[in-house]
Amino acid sequence: QKREISNFDYLMYLNTLAGRSYNDYMQYPVFPWVLADYHSETLNLTNPHTFRDLSKPMGAQTVERKHKFIQRFNEVEKSDLSAQCHYCTHYSSAIIVASYLVRMEPFTQTFCSLQGGSFDVADRMFHSVKSTWESASRDNMSDVRELIPEFFYLPEFLTNENHFELGCMQDGTVLGDVQLPPWADGDPHKFILLHRQALESDYVSAHLHHWIDLIFGHKQHGSAAVEAVNTYHPYFYGDKTDLNNIKDPLIKSTILGFISNFGQIPKQV
């Protein structure tokens, strides 16, 4: 509020408090999608419609999608290995982090090891900022991913400088550099510059606390999370699951597998 710290620094501080670290792919710092405009020729940071709704999680960015997740929540029957929740996938996980950074080592090797030794099917690889936003905010019910800090300072992860053979999509597109929005003019440095300006904009400064409530605050779990369409599978809440008290080895290994594959909710701050 006093403009003595940037939004970026504040988010990094909160991530650290919540136990997130660059040293752990499963608990990597999580940053928000801040823009919803990946099609315009120029980026208008004075127009509220340019921005993502920071008061809602990625699963509730459209009314139709929000209702589908609420329906899922209401229909799930509780049992030992299924639970009432809106999302069975997570907004931050080792595979999400590695997929964003796949064009840079050592993340290339990490991604391949998580994928069983090779790159993923080309159509599922991170290849376009616009299509990734559309998947996470609208099109794919199993995709509610947020961003990582590198989207706001590291242009190198958007280019295939190492000339990795990432495959060819079904439409014939050969994967190389990440496809950028028109307003970036094909320049990763310009994308990072404008994206960082968006993060530090007046609109985001005025609304960022809503997103913080969802990820790090009181809307993270409990009745406030249900109301905000922001509940995840119970296994994602690390501090709510006491593995020492679980005697069944199958359930224990299932929980550990869930956490390693799908990620963890940050500690509440």
Side-chain angles (χ1 to χ4, degrees), residues 117 133 202 253:
W133 159 255
D202 290 340
S253 65

Side-chain angles (χ1 to χ4, degrees), residues 203-250:
Y203 179 91
V204 172
S205 295
H207 296 86
L208 189 58
H209 62 285
H210 295 305
W211 184 83
I212 291 169
D213 287 342
L214 293 168
I215 306 299
F216 302 108
H218 75 285
K219 292 182 180 178
Q220 194 189 72
H221 52 73
S223 58
V226 174
E227 192 174 330
V229 195
N230 193 44
T231 65
Y232 297 82
H233 196 285
Y235 295 163
F236 298 156
Y237 298 83
D239 54 347
K240 301 284 185 292
T241 307
D242 188 355
L243 291 172
N244 295 323
N245 290 333
I246 298 172
K247 303 299 181 224
D248 188 325
L250 175 62

Side-chain angles (χ1 to χ4, degrees), residues 4 33 36 54 56 84 94 96 109-110 115 129 147 151 179 194 200 206 229 231 251 254 258 263 267:
E4 292 175 3
W33 287 96
L54 287 159
K56 296 181 174 68
Q84 193 172 34
I96 289 172
Q109 295 304 316
T110 301
Q115 282 292 128
V129 178
L147 299 182
F151 271 85
Q179 295 171 12
L194 292 173
E200 305 299 341
V229 195
T231 65
I251 294 178
T254 300
F258 248 82
K267 291 175 185 169

